[in-house]
Amino acid sequence: MYDYTEFDEAFVRNRVAQFRAQVERRIDGSLTEDEFRPLRLMNGLYLQLHAYMLRVAIPYGTLNSRKMRQLATIADRWDKGYGHFTTRQNIQFNWPKLGEVPDILEALADVGMHAIQTSGNTIRNVTADHFAGAAADEIADPRPVAELIRQWSTDHPEFQFLPRKFKIGITGSPNDRAVTRAHDIGLRMVRADDGAPGFEVIVGGGLGRTPMLGKVIRPFLPKADLLPYLEAIVSTYNLMGRRDNKFKARIKITVFENGLDTFRDEVEARFAVTRKAFSGVDQEALAGIEAHFAPPAFRKVPETAYDAAIATDDAFRDWAEKNLAAHRAPGYAIVTISLKAHGETPGDATSAQMRLIADLAERYGHDEIRISHEQNVVLPHVHKSDLPAIHAALAEAGLATANVGLLSDIIACPGMDYCALATARSIPVAQQLATHFKAIGLEEEIGQLKIKISGCINACGHHHVGHIGILGLDRAGVENYQITLGGDATEAAAIGERAGPGFAYDEIVPAIERLLRAYLQVRASREESFIEAFRRLGPQPFKAALYPGEVEQDAA
């Protein structure tokens, strides 16, 4: 894990002091809200529906126990005892008082954290595969490169006032767990014919009101050329991107309106300049960063306790089947801790739960924690012999829900319960779906399913790339929920198709039940997932289940 240098420490402390002075001027009236707004957004502070919200960066989703305990302390001291983990691998505190925000930032700086560039028209928190450095299918750990990008982009003088916000996602695996094609720039690690590592560079992805999947601008870019090429892309976008209409200002529109070939030509011309300007200094920085990411000292001990628990403990076996993933080291597993207990708010963790996770990581997990874009927490390095003890501790804290990848493992934005931009509720829909399908006993039968819910067209819940996406809108003052089908966030990325007219708040759960009962009837076997059945059959049988009255009327 990367540790702050003296420069990093001084930089963050200076930003805190600067913002403290700005907050004091806002409170005493020297700054108006219009004047203060760009200053607070540069430091991750939003004015939400009921209160301020502070978004804290968790670069590429990586934490350790010290950082997690500090987040718990902040939740207790300055919030309401919990935090909300987001699809950008950040954490949000929903109830801070304005005058206390500088103290929160100071507390973050104490453990090498900050909220810089978690908002505004700049390069946001770089996200990465939450299994990075541990996954059995990984080419290489992408986090050193993600850290290099973070250092390059933080306070970059050319990129502080881009046409719109800018998001970068990176994965080191051919199996995409970072939704790279839904990013402004997506980076997928690949190997050249001679085995040299590099990146497939994807540009122009994004969701929101105009969802688009990114296009490959470079099938293979040598690792050494990555930073100057990124600078060329962002520089080109900064010049070509529209500033007359914020709804058309994202790079996806720039690429679409100009065409990929034209955009690529401009980038390549710019790259010829930036490549010379870097002169290898970035590779020197990367070499220093890589030293921080050495793998832990993996243990070689018997797996007896794990084998015994699998053989005798049904609850443990169920959890192990759903919440563990293959690790690259023999005898180890990757543990996903679900923050989706049935009926709870997806992504929320109490301060007590944060402290427990910190304790488990410190004792059993080589002191590493990851936050996933799916709003769960990951212990990336756990020896199998320690899994029964971890499961027992999680169960006692209500964190042992065995549902990773199932219906109740829902991504949901805060929606109208918190967000000033939202037009409908997201959290109650997610809660009702989870509890309803558990109550009727269908969740296990349905199997692997990705439901994603957004409370407005900005798509913070990634509904466009859900197998089933739900978008909450306002229709004449009434909540209305549109359903999309067939989305995919993996390497086989797809934008979901809108099924038809929306449903009222009290109709959405019954509609999803009709949809999934239809799936159970038409699937080829228990092994055929919902997304596989949708691809095989197309949308028609599922639309017929959603809108049975219309189908009957058409038939008559």
Side-chain angles (χ1 to χ4, degrees):
M1 181 181 298
Y2 181 75
D3 294 315
Y4 275 11
T5 64
E6 289 183 9
F7 173 85
D8 298 322
E9 173 78 12
F11 177 89
V12 173
R13 296 289 183 184
N14 287 338
R15 281 293 293 264
V16 174
Q18 181 187 64
F19 189 58
R20 187 181 295 278
Q22 292 166 349
V23 169
E24 290 171 355
R25 291 166 63 202
R26 173 69 187 111
I27 291 173
D28 70 19
S30 301
L31 287 175
T32 66
E33 172 54 30
D34 286 344
E35 292 170 328
F36 182 58
R37 183 175 182 273
L39 303 176
R40 63 172 168 79
L41 290 177
M42 291 174 69
N43 292 279
L45 187 63
Y46 288 75
L47 185 57
Q48 294 284 73
L49 195 60
H50 307 293
Y52 284 100
M53 178 271 283
L54 181 66
R55 180 180 293 155
V56 176
I58 302 176
Y60 37 90
T62 295
L63 290 166
N64 59 17
S65 59
R66 182 167 175 252
K67 295 175 192 289
M68 184 66 98
R69 289 192 184 102
Q70 190 74 327
L71 295 177
T73 298
I74 290 169
D76 281 337
R77 184 172 180 184
W78 291 293
D79 207 274
K80 294 189 176 182
Y82 71 96
H84 176 72
F85 292 104
T86 78
T87 56
R88 294 300 302 163
Q89 299 177 309
N90 297 312
I91 186 171
Q92 295 181 176
F93 294 106
N94 290 310
W95 303 99
K97 295 180 174 63
L98 177 58
E100 296 175 342
V101 170
D103 295 331
I104 299 175
L105 297 179
E106 198 79 56
L108 290 169
D110 289 341
V111 295
M113 298 183 74
H114 61 75
I116 298 168
Q117 291 183 200
T118 58
S119 182
N121 293 338
T122 186
I123 297 173
R124 301 287 187 89
N125 187 39
V126 178
T127 58
D129 180 354
H130 42 274
F131 293 168
D137 59 4
E138 189 173 69
I139 294 172
D141 187 347
R143 292 177 303 147
V145 173
E147 173 60 28
L148 179 69
I149 295 170
R150 185 193 71 83
Q151 294 188 19
W152 159 77
S153 63
T154 301
D155 255 17
H156 192 301
E158 187 179 347
F159 304 145
Q160 291 307 296
F161 299 96
L162 295 170
R164 278 290 273 134
K165 58 187 175 182
F166 202 92
K167 299 175 181 179
I168 300 173
I170 183 170
T171 180
S173 167
N175 298 302
D176 189 355
R177 289 177 289 264
V179 207
T180 55
R181 290 192 66 193
H183 282 76
D184 298 283
I185 294 176
L187 301 170
R188 297 182 63 202
M189 191 173 287
V190 292
R191 290 194 183 276
D193 293 339
D194 62 0
F199 289 94
E200 177 187 77
V201 183
I202 301 163
V203 69
L207 303 179
R209 68 178 57 235
T210 311
M212 294 183 182
L213 296 178
K215 298 176 176 62
V216 176
I217 191 171
R218 270 280 193 117
F220 181 82
L221 181 74
K223 189 177 175 182
D225 288 339
L226 181 61
L227 217 54
Y229 199 75
L230 292 184
E231 179 134 339
I233 291 174
V234 185
S235 296
T236 301
Y237 163 61
N238 202 20
L239 290 173
M240 294 177 66
R242 292 182 58 174
R243 297 176 188 269
D244 61 320
N245 184 335
K246 73 174 185 177
F247 301 121
K248 297 183 179 181
R250 296 291 295 268
I251 193 174
K252 61 187 177 183
I253 304 299
T254 306
V255 173
F256 175 77
E257 290 185 339
N258 291 277
L260 180 63
D261 291 342
T262 297
F263 187 79
R264 182 192 290 115
D265 290 345
E266 294 292 332
V267 169
E268 293 294 338
R270 180 65 181 156
F271 176 54
V273 176
T274 57
R275 191 180 191 187
K276 296 175 183 176
F278 273 79
S279 67
V281 66
D282 54 316
Q283 294 307 296
E284 294 174 13
L286 179 59
I289 291 168
E290 287 175 335
H292 290 264
F293 289 88
F298 294 123
R299 295 183 296 133
K300 295 182 179 180
V301 296
E303 300 173 24
T304 310
Y306 171 79
D307 294 336
I310 287 289
T312 61
D313 187 334
D314 291 343
F316 175 80
R317 182 168 56 253
D318 186 41
W319 176 79
E321 288 174 353
K322 297 186 176 70
N323 292 40
L324 302 185
H327 197 284
R328 63 188 178 89
Y332 273 74
I334 302 170
V335 177
T336 297
I337 301 170
S338 172
L339 297 184
K340 316 285 181 59
H342 297 82
E344 298 298 324
T345 301
D348 276 10
T350 67
S351 57
Q353 290 172 332
M354 291 185 214
R355 290 190 180 94
L356 172 64
I357 292 169
D359 291 345
L360 294 176
E362 189 172 51
R363 183 173 180 181
Y364 299 114
H366 297 278
D367 203 21
E368 284 200 41
I369 303 165
R370 307 284 166 75
I371 307 303
S372 78
H373 81 271
E374 295 180 320
Q375 299 176 288
N376 290 318
V377 179
V378 176
L379 301 180
H381 308 297
V382 177
H383 195 275
K384 289 182 178 180
S385 62
D386 293 324
L387 289 170
I390 287 175
H391 177 258
L394 292 174
E396 189 173 342
L399 286 171
T401 307
N403 67 340
V404 171
L406 299 184
L407 181 149
S408 59
D409 186 14
I410 295 170
I411 288 179
C413 73
M416 210 160 58
D417 287 297
Y418 295 98
C419 182
L421 300 176
T423 49
R425 290 168 288 176
S426 298
I427 293 170
V429 175
Q431 292 169 324
Q432 290 171 36
L433 283 169
T435 55
H436 176 74
F437 280 91
K438 181 182 180 182
I440 64 175
L442 282 185
E443 183 172 27
E444 294 279 345
E445 180 72 15
I446 292 165
Q448 291 290 304
L449 181 67
K450 300 290 187 180
I451 296 181
K452 306 178 192 291
I453 307 173
S454 299
C456 81
I457 204 165
N458 290 305
C460 294
H462 292 190
H463 68 276
H464 293 295
V465 290
H467 299 164
I468 298 174
I470 301 175
L471 168 61
L473 298 170
D474 181 304
R475 291 284 185 259
V478 177
E479 290 169 300
N480 182 271
Y481 293 86
Q482 292 181 357
I483 293 176
T484 54
L485 302 171
D488 193 334
T490 70
E491 61 280 0
I495 300 295
E497 304 175 28
R498 182 180 167 188
F503 296 89
Y505 176 77
D506 59 357
E507 295 174 338
I508 187 64
V509 173
I512 299 298
E513 181 180 344
R514 292 196 303 275
L515 174 66
L516 291 175
R517 286 191 183 276
Y519 152 67
L520 295 176
Q521 290 178 343
V522 301
R523 66 183 179 182
S525 67
R526 283 184 65 95
E527 286 69 42
E528 185 177 50
S529 67
F530 176 87
I531 188 63
E532 289 168 341
F534 180 86
R535 288 171 180 162
R536 176 173 61 87
L537 298 169
Q540 194 53 42
F542 304 103
K543 288 184 178 182
L546 286 171
Y547 309 102
E550 293 182 17
V551 172
E552 291 170 9
Q553 188 174 10
D554 290 343

